[in-house]
Amino acid sequence: MENVNQITLNLPTDLLKTTEELIQTGLVKNLDELVVLALHHEIVKLKQLQPNNQQLPENSNGVDDPIWGLGENPVVGGVSLEFRI
């Protein structure tokens, strides 16, 4: 890594325990790598938010995903359910 600054983190015990478990499984090499990955992930999410409008980020992958339109045009159905015991 280039341009590295050393800092001290105070982590809750449960978070540190989970982090150690991830390191033991080999998903990440060490705590530094995990923190860097987590910070990059959160920074990307925060940059997607509009500066003055705390809405969910837009579909950023450029693909027209139909899941984004669910609920826009609800349909009232004529189905009734009857439960018998």
Side-chain angles (χ1 to χ4, degrees):
M1 269 191 258
E2 295 179 13
N3 301 323
V4 175
N5 292 318
Q6 187 172 358
I7 62 169
T8 300
L9 293 175
N10 296 311
L11 300 174
T13 304
D14 60 330
L15 184 59
L16 187 57
K17 182 179 177 183
T18 304
T19 300
E20 289 171 354
E21 290 170 359
L22 288 172
I23 293 168
Q24 289 175 357
T25 63
L27 289 174
V28 291
K29 294 178 188 173
N30 53 41
L31 179 60
D32 290 344
E33 181 180 299
L34 181 62
V35 170
V36 169
L37 289 171
L39 284 172
H40 277 297
H41 181 264
E42 289 303 309
I43 289 169
V44 167
K45 285 183 2 183
L46 290 171
K47 283 185 175 182
Q48 291 176 345
L49 296 174
Q50 298 297 325
N52 296 321
N53 188 3
Q54 295 296 317
Q55 294 180 350
L56 291 175
E58 294 294 323
N59 184 0
S60 61
N61 63 6
V63 177
D64 187 21
D65 189 346
I67 197 77
W68 288 94
L70 287 179
E72 288 180 356
N73 300 308
V75 177
V76 178
V79 177
S80 63
L81 298 175
E82 183 178 325
F83 294 98
R84 294 183 187 184
I85 298 179

